[in-house]
Amino acid sequence: MNLSFFDQFASPYFLGIPLILLSMLFPALLFPTPNNRWITNRLSTIQLWSLHSITKQLMTPLNKKGHKWALILTSLTTLLLTINLLGLLPYTFTPTTQLSMNMALAFPLWLATLLTGLRNQPSISLGHLLPEGTPTPLIPALIMIETTSLLIRPLALGVRLTANLTAGHLLIQLISTAITALLPIMPTVSILTTSILFLLTILEVAVAMIQAYVFVLLLSLYLQENI
């Protein structure tokens, strides 16, 4: 029983070939491609408005140097948001519940922001490791603490996204299993539990959207420190 709850997080295979790459690329097929009715099409208008809002929200705290990252950050937000929401559909696989994938997204981007700071303003970037006015005896300890907090940033990004989505999916499956088991025994309790499941599903939709935004927002804040 316990193993079956985690079967939904196992990467699907077909003829020995992992399909996680296909599940990551499939959301891109849902977005319309430009055509002669690109401006007047309602779906395209909503898409352009959403991308504009996301880009504006992410780029507002950054200066002009950080605007070069607009395409990367907006594309990442759209990818994570689409994958997270599609993962709430029945009989689907959510790649963002895999820590390996989230780390593969978090580590290179975090490293890029760090290297950008070290290249453009090395003294300021290294100065973040030692707050101004620190007593001399505390300097070695603070440098170690700040270095550790800097190095665990990509791990925190990946674990946060993985844990929130995994917990939500597990809770939905547990409540669904309870509803199925209670239906022939206590129909009234089962109906009440169904209403709880409905509210939980709405909450998970919000969590899927918020976690995608938080992941990219933290990356933009790391970028802001280094430009």
Side-chain angles (χ1 to χ4, degrees):
M1 176 64 71
N2 292 333
L3 291 177
S4 63
F5 288 147
F6 293 92
D7 286 345
Q8 59 177 318
F9 304 118
S11 178
Y13 283 81
F14 180 73
L15 298 177
I17 302 173
L19 300 180
I20 184 171
L21 182 60
L22 180 62
S23 62
M24 290 174 57
L25 298 178
F26 176 75
L29 302 177
L30 302 178
F31 293 98
T33 54
N35 52 39
N36 295 331
R37 301 186 60 189
W38 178 251
I39 301 298
T40 57
N41 184 277
R42 291 187 179 90
L43 182 60
S44 303
T45 304
I46 294 174
Q47 178 186 345
L48 289 175
W49 175 81
S50 302
L51 292 176
H52 174 74
S53 301
I54 293 172
T55 306
K56 183 179 179 181
Q57 188 71 24
L58 293 174
M59 293 298 109
T60 299
L62 303 178
N63 55 26
K64 290 185 178 180
K65 292 182 180 179
H67 292 177
K68 298 177 183 178
W69 289 64
L71 180 60
I72 297 177
L73 296 180
T74 304
S75 302
L76 181 61
T77 306
T78 307
L79 175 67
L80 292 177
L81 184 61
T82 310
I83 290 177
N84 292 351
L85 292 177
L86 289 178
L88 294 174
L89 297 175
Y91 302 104
T92 56
F93 172 70
T94 312
T96 45
T97 56
Q98 305 294 312
L99 182 60
S100 57
M101 174 190 164
N102 296 334
M103 290 298 298
L105 293 174
F107 183 77
L109 292 173
W110 165 83
L111 185 60
T113 61
L114 182 62
L115 294 178
T116 299
L118 293 176
R119 184 188 65 178
N120 296 334
Q121 45 183 20
S123 58
I124 297 178
S125 298
L126 294 176
H128 289 257
L129 301 179
L130 185 63
E132 187 177 357
T134 303
T136 303
L138 297 179
I139 288 179
L142 278 179
I143 290 178
M144 294 179 61
I145 292 173
E146 292 296 329
T147 303
T148 304
S149 65
L150 178 66
L151 295 178
I152 65 173
R153 282 180 174 182
L155 180 62
L157 282 175
V159 170
R160 181 187 295 108
L161 182 58
T162 304
N164 281 281
L165 295 180
T166 302
H169 288 205
L170 279 176
L171 193 56
I172 288 177
Q173 185 170 0
L174 286 170
I175 295 179
S176 302
T177 305
I179 292 174
T180 305
L182 291 174
L183 187 58
I185 306 174
M186 294 180 287
T188 306
V189 177
S190 179
I191 293 174
L192 293 177
T193 310
T194 304
S195 62
I196 297 176
L197 179 62
F198 177 74
L199 296 176
L200 179 62
T201 304
I202 297 176
L203 176 63
E204 283 305 309
V205 171
V207 168
M209 300 172 65
I210 291 172
Q211 288 303 317
Y213 174 71
V214 168
F215 187 92
V216 183
L217 178 63
L218 289 176
L219 281 175
S220 67
L221 294 178
Y222 299 158
L223 177 63
Q224 183 181 3
E225 292 180 359
N226 292 283
I227 56 175

